[in-house]
Structure formats: structure tokens, C-alpha cells
Amino acid sequence: MDTVHARFKDKIGEVLLPGDVFSLSVPEGGDCIIKREKIICGPGLRRNGEEVQVCKSGILRHKQANLYWIDSQQRRYIPTKGESVIGIVTAKSGDIYKVDVGGSEQASLSYLAFEGATKRNRPNVQVGDLVYGQFTIANKDMEPELVCIDSCGRANGMGVFGADGLLFKVSLGLVRRLLAPQSEIVKDLEKIFPLETVVGLNGRVWVKAKTVQQTLIVANLLETCENMTSQQRQTLFKKVAEGSF
Amino acid sequence: MSLLENMSPMKLCVPGERLCSTEDCIPGTGTYLRHGYIFASLAGYVLRKNEGEELPVISVVRETEAQLLPDVGAIVTCKVTSINPRFAKVHILYVGSTPLKDRFRGTIRREDVRATEKDKVETYKSFRPGDIVLAKVISLGDVQSNYLLTTAENELGVVVAHSEAGTQMVPISWCEMQCPRTHAKEFRKVARVQPEYLQA
């Protein structure tokens, strides 16, 4: 019995290119019966009538029970609703701040979208400040909108930050690995020295350690550990931990 | 053009030009009366038509065919050009079933998209750039502003829309349309099809 999952199974873990198709139709004259199953197509896969097409180049991944997606490396960020990002305030105009989030357009952030902000009590935001916020509107037809407040009205860690420290840019894949629940990179980093980090899904990371030298070391480590296997990374981190003191 | 056959060669005029006296003609569109004479108020062609009464009617037209302008209460067909959290900008293409030569600009405000639950309307879930929308004119606007339109009725709203994959979508309810190729559903404020256009 041939199933739809079997067609995907041989390709899990393989590199696929845009244009590759998985045909879901029954072959003519065959004895095999295709069971009707539900498959969820994640990012990078798109249904086109009777077939599933690959839209992005990357590795096919699978998660129980029926979720398939393409894991792709990308450095360019596309704003998506609900994602938390680090932005840089570039301009103040009337009621809104213009924030650069690394996308094609600057996002707008209303001055009322901060905790405890009212028309009389304006938040203390200057041009050049770093803000951590979430997108409420983010699509290809409109200008994206950020808020530093959640649906209950609390800041929840969002808002202006970054008095000291260093902001740098990494690829989106590394950022997702850093934000995963049991991230090994974060655990290894914590062992070296204590530090504060803010990770934005637009590829921007802000770190702050006790001294400037430590901050720079951490920034360099994060930028280089992107293409390393976990073995290489752990040996590197160990060398740094021993050599720094 | 048929209009040229039963008329003398067309004369051009500018606003303020004296055309004739009230004894010769009756003033029509594009003209005004002053001190017993008829003056032009538009720049265009002078048309003299014999209506069958005693005096011919003199009028000034921009083009030889009369342009139908959208009036308050008229149903217009328009195409969405850009959207904004507060309103959607459209180009008016047809007034009723007559195509327009120029594209007039219109605005559909967020509170005019639906009749119920006006503050919960999201423009992104009602219209997208490129959609063809049936709307009604509620106001002609000032000199600078555009026509104000509304879709707050069952028969008004999105008629033709293309999905993100590029194919034309099929309406499945008053607020959703589905792409036949990718089977993805998208939100739109869909116009109800008139019963006479439905095939049994």
C-alpha cells in the first residue's frame, strides 16, 4: 500500500530546489491504493492542484504527525505578523516613530503602544534607540506596524533597551536556533561568562557582558558558530573559556 | 463621428468667450448667461443642436461624446490600487455599465466597508491591491479629495480577486474566497451575486 507519506519520506533530510514536485495523483494502471491522508505544508512548500511544489531551496524536514517544511538559510528578513524583532528608531513624526527592522519598508510604531503611555504621558524614545517589539500588521501590501505592548496592555519584556552593549546581525537560521526552547548554543555560552542578550527574529542580536572585551568576544563567537557543527563549537567555546582568564 | 454630420465644423472656445446672444440660442451645458449674452464656462468645442423648439441649444463640451460622471448614489466598478489600515484607495473604471475614459480616484474608508461591526474591520481582510470592487458613491468630495465610496451592502464588495498564487479566486462566503489551485482561503468582503446572473 502506497501512502502519500512514503513519497515524502525518501526525501526527508535531502536538499531540494525550487521546482521539485511531489505528485499526489494515483498512477494509471497501478495496483497500489493511495490512502487519503492529510498533510500540512509548511514554509517552502505549496500545493498546486494535484501536486506539491517546492518554492525555496533547502532541506526537507518532517515533524510528527504530518507536518513537512523546507529548512532554508536566509539572511534577508521579511516582516511577519506576531514575530518579535529588534528595531532602530530612525525618525519621529507626529504620533508615530519610524523604525528600521531590516525589511523593505520601515515599520511604524505608535507612541501609545508602550506600557503606561497616554496622550499626556509620552514615552521617552529618541532617534537611534533600540526597541524590541512585535508586529501587529505585516504583509506585502501595507506598511508594517510594531507594538511594544501585548494584548493585555503589559510590556512583557518589550520596549526600549540597550544603554550599553553591542548590536550585530546574523542569519535567520542561527536566530531561530538561539530561540529554540533547549538551545545548546545558549547553554554553552552561559558557561563562559554571564551576559545579557536580546534576540530579534529579524536576524539582529544584542549582547552585553561585564566588560567591553567580553562583549566583543561573545559577538565574534556567535557570528562564527553559525556554520560549525556542535562538536567544533564546543571545542571553540572551551578554548575561549580557558584562554580568557 | 455621427455628430459631425449634422453640424457645422466644430469651433473651439475658452472660458469667458462670448458665443452669441440670447435671441439666437438657448444656453446649454458649459455656458452661462450675462447681460443678455451667452458666454462659455468651459474650454472645449461649441455644439449647436436643433432640439425642435424655436431656438437651437448651444453648449460647450470637452469631448464630442458626453462623459458620464459618477453621481451620488451611483454604483461604480473600481479597482483597488493601495490599502492602508484606515482606508483603501481605488480607481473608478465604470459607472454603471459605461466605461470611463479617465480614471477617477476614490476612497473607501474603513468604517464604510461593512454595515455591521464597523470598528472590527481590517482593510487587509476586506480588500487587496488589484481587486475589482463594486461600490456606491456617497460623496463627491472637495476639490482635492477623491470620491467617497462605500461597500456597506450585501450586493457591494469584491467581485474579482486574484490569490497570492495568481489564479482567480472563487467566493465561498461573504467574507472568504478560495483559490482553485492551491485551495488556500483568503479573506475579502465579497459581493453577493445577483440572482439573475447565477446559472442554475
Side-chain angles (χ1 to χ4, degrees), chain A residues 218-237:
Chain A
V218 172
N220 277 314
L221 280 177
L222 277 175
E223 280 173 347
T224 49
C225 76
E226 182 174 332
N227 289 322
M228 289 188 188
T229 62
S230 42
Q231 276 285 54
Q232 292 170 325
R233 195 186 57 236
Q234 277 162 1
T235 36
L236 175 64
F237 280 24

Side-chain angles (χ1 to χ4, degrees), chain A residues 25-245:
Chain A
S25 55
V26 182
E28 308 250 356
D31 309 333
C32 49
I33 311 159
I34 302 256
K35 268 183 8 191
R36 290 256 133 217
E37 277 162 354
K38 197 160 100 159
I39 296 181
I40 303 179
C41 294
L45 291 172
R46 187 198 285 195
R47 175 182 174 173
N48 191 4
E50 279 298 311
E51 35 181 50
V52 173
Q53 281 180 344
V54 174
C55 316
K56 281 202 171 156
S57 53
I59 302 179
L60 181 66
R61 301 267 188 228
H62 170 56
K63 189 174 151 178
Q64 292 305 319
N66 50 4
L67 173 62
Y68 294 93
W69 79 94
I70 302 280
D71 200 4
S72 55
Q73 286 282 59
Q74 200 175 298
R75 285 190 74 98
R76 171 166 306 166
Y77 178 64
I78 298 172
T80 318
K81 183 171 169 172
E83 293 195 344
S84 305
V85 294
I86 297 182
I88 306 174
V89 178
T90 54
K92 252 201 265 199
S93 74
D95 290 344
I96 57 168
Y97 301 108
K98 285 278 179 212
V99 179
D100 166 38
V101 289
S104 55
E105 267 189 271
Q106 298 203 331
S108 69
L109 171 59
S110 163
Y111 76 96
L112 288 170
F114 289 88
E115 183 172 7
T118 59
K119 290 201 179 149
R120 299 250 181 107
N121 181 16
R122 284 181 165 244
N124 187 13
V125 178
Q126 305 303 325
V127 171
D129 278 351
L130 293 176
V131 285
Y132 186 66
Q134 257 184 353
F135 282 114
T136 47
I137 296 183
N139 50 61
K140 60 183 169 81
D141 299 316
M142 291 201 282
E143 185 192 46
E145 276 188 24
L146 273 179
V147 286
C148 289
I149 205 173
D150 64 6
S151 46
C152 304
R154 288 186 294 238
N156 209 9
M158 295 190 272
V160 181
F161 69 97
D164 294 313
L166 178 68
L167 178 78
F168 55 95
K169 199 166 182 323
V170 291
S171 84
L172 304 184
L174 177 63
V175 155
R176 268 178 271 156
R177 273 188 282 163
L178 283 172
L179 287 172
Q182 304 293 332
S183 172
E184 295 177 349
I185 311 179
V186 173
K187 282 196 195 145
D188 293 339
L189 264 180
E190 281 169 358
K191 291 185 204 148
I192 309 183
F193 17 66
L195 73 161
E196 239 184 284
T197 53
V198 178
V199 180
L201 275 160
N202 53 346
R204 292 187 181 163
V205 180
W206 176 87
V207 292
K208 179 173 157 182
K210 277 204 208 123
T211 66
V212 174
Q213 198 186 32
Q214 288 181 359
T215 311
L216 287 173
I217 292 173
V218 172
N220 277 314
L221 280 177
L222 277 175
E223 280 173 347
T224 49
C225 76
E226 182 174 332
N227 289 322
M228 289 188 188
T229 62
S230 42
Q231 276 285 54
Q232 292 170 325
R233 195 186 57 236
Q234 277 162 1
T235 36
L236 175 64
F237 280 24
K238 236 187 268 181
K239 261 198 281 182
V240 170
E242 287 155 16
S244 64
F245 294 116

Side-chain angles (χ1 to χ4, degrees), chain B residues 23-27 38 48-58:
Chain B
E23 289 145 28
D24 298 334
C25 303
I26 300 176
I38 299 178
R48 225 181 264 245
K49 260 195 270 190
N50 280 313
E51 295 270 308
E53 299 166 20
E54 309 127 18
L55 295 173
V57 176
I58 190 165

